[in-house]
Amino acid sequence: MKLQQLRYLVEVSRCGLNVSEAAEVLYTSQPGVSKQIKLLEDELGVIVFERSGKRLTAITEPGKRVLEIAERILQEADNIKRVGEEYAGGDSGSLVLATTHTQARYALPFVVRNFIERHPKVRLSMHQGSPTQIAEWTLKGEADIAIATEALDQYPQLVMLPCYQWGHSVIAPLGHPLLAERSISLTTLARWPLITYDPAFTGRSLINKAFERAQLTPNVVLAAIDSDVIKTYVNLGLGLGIIASMAFDPERDLGLQAIDVGHLFGSNTTRIGLRRGTYIRQYEYDFIELFASQLSKKAVDRAMAGLGVDDEYQL
């Protein structure tokens, strides 16, 4: 039995039993993947994948058990490498972040700067994508730390660490009639064309739920994943924008004015996601604490051990 055979099993499962796609991900040939899986099945004496001709059609019951154990073995093999890298590499290494544009643009710059000053020999890279992509990258080991607001809590394989809470603001061009309103309600907003986030991003689910509870249908004329794109189209007069409050800077966003509407949509919680069972290197602990000061090494270890985060570490 070889680790490579276990990698083939797991990747074929992740790719929906598509051997060609798994071979592409693994940078090898389809016949090579099929041959190694068959050799492993012969050695184990059980069929992992049901077949129809040359196609894999399902995972057998014993195959499900084999895959569960294979995933654990591969994760522990990765943990051994991480231990070796940490102790052999001294203060060097690599750290891959997976996050959304809003976090990368507005929440992370000073954290990244401080981290690089503290760990100049650590190679830091950042993948930006949707919350679902972020979670998948982290689960596959392609990213070390996931940072997002939406979707991460839908993945039980990730340990969730609450970092901070934030709300939304409405932005409008200077002189817009809305800015003269004494108070803003959902009914008021529903009268105007709106520009806000794509449904998978940056607290959009809370925006949708607020309008649904009020039995109102918002006139969303444009949805984007990028706060800067939303502000651009608001400046063009296409509608009012609803963005994360952290994404508005009065000195930079000239020609626009923001009104806090957190009372309409509630608060959002940005979380860090870590793959369960992963060995965490010291500089990863440092990055997490730089991003959320309440998340000390002790708090992270408790969460990774399944003990939850104590009240003293909560938001």
Side-chain angles (χ1 to χ4, degrees), residues 47-268:
I47 300 298
V48 176
F49 299 113
E50 292 178 4
R51 293 164 172 81
S52 175
K54 292 185 178 180
R55 288 178 57 251
L56 304 184
T57 57
I59 303 172
T60 64
E61 278 306 312
K64 291 175 183 176
R65 305 287 85 77
V66 169
L67 279 163
E68 286 174 8
I69 297 169
E71 288 176 350
R72 291 203 302 271
I73 291 171
L74 291 174
Q75 184 171 11
E76 291 301 340
D78 184 56
N79 283 341
I80 290 171
K81 288 182 183 177
R82 291 165 72 91
V83 172
E85 288 168 0
E86 179 170 37
Y87 285 91
D91 56 356
S92 64
S94 65
L95 177 60
V96 181
L97 308 176
T99 191
T100 61
H101 170 84
T102 298
Q103 298 295 329
R105 174 69 179 82
Y106 299 104
L108 282 168
F110 291 110
V111 176
V112 168
R113 183 196 65 186
N114 294 339
F115 178 83
I116 290 174
E117 288 175 355
R118 186 179 297 186
H119 298 281
K121 294 182 180 179
V122 174
R123 300 182 306 279
L124 186 64
S125 57
M126 191 180 299
H127 299 338
Q128 293 180 51
S130 71
T132 300
Q133 287 175 314
I134 290 163
E136 294 292 341
W137 289 331
T138 308
L139 290 174
K140 290 180 181 179
E142 296 172 11
D144 301 304
I145 296 175
I147 303 173
T149 298
E150 304 274 359
L152 293 188
D153 55 357
Q154 298 169 22
Y155 290 82
Q157 309 97 311
L158 294 177
V159 173
M160 304 311 308
L161 305 172
C163 298
Y164 68 93
Q165 292 180 328
W166 56 270
H168 287 97
S169 289
V170 167
I171 55 171
L174 295 178
H176 192 284
L178 182 82
L179 301 176
E181 298 272 351
R182 289 186 176 181
S183 63
I184 296 178
S185 66
L186 291 171
T187 303
T188 304
L189 291 180
R191 297 193 192 111
W192 295 97
L194 300 175
I195 305 169
T196 190
Y197 298 106
D198 179 273
F201 287 79
T202 322
R204 174 66 188 275
S205 60
L206 286 187
I207 294 172
N208 290 348
K209 288 174 184 174
F211 280 110
E212 287 170 9
R213 282 195 299 270
Q215 298 183 323
L216 295 168
T217 302
N219 178 22
V220 178
V221 296
L222 177 65
I225 65 173
D226 184 329
S227 303
D228 293 332
V229 169
I230 294 171
K231 287 184 281 188
T232 296
Y233 286 97
V234 172
N235 250 326
L236 289 174
L238 297 188
L240 298 171
I242 303 176
I243 63 172
S245 294
M246 67 178 124
F248 183 79
D249 182 343
E251 294 183 5
R252 184 184 63 242
D253 298 319
L254 300 176
L256 296 176
Q257 187 170 330
I259 304 170
D260 190 306
V261 288
H263 62 289
L264 298 180
F265 302 119
S267 63
N268 302 266

Side-chain angles (χ1 to χ4, degrees), residues 25-41:
V25 172
L26 295 162
Y27 301 104
T28 188
S29 66
Q30 179 181 340
V33 172
S34 298
K35 179 183 176 181
Q36 290 302 319
I37 290 175
K38 186 67 172 64
L39 286 173
L40 182 59
E41 288 178 325

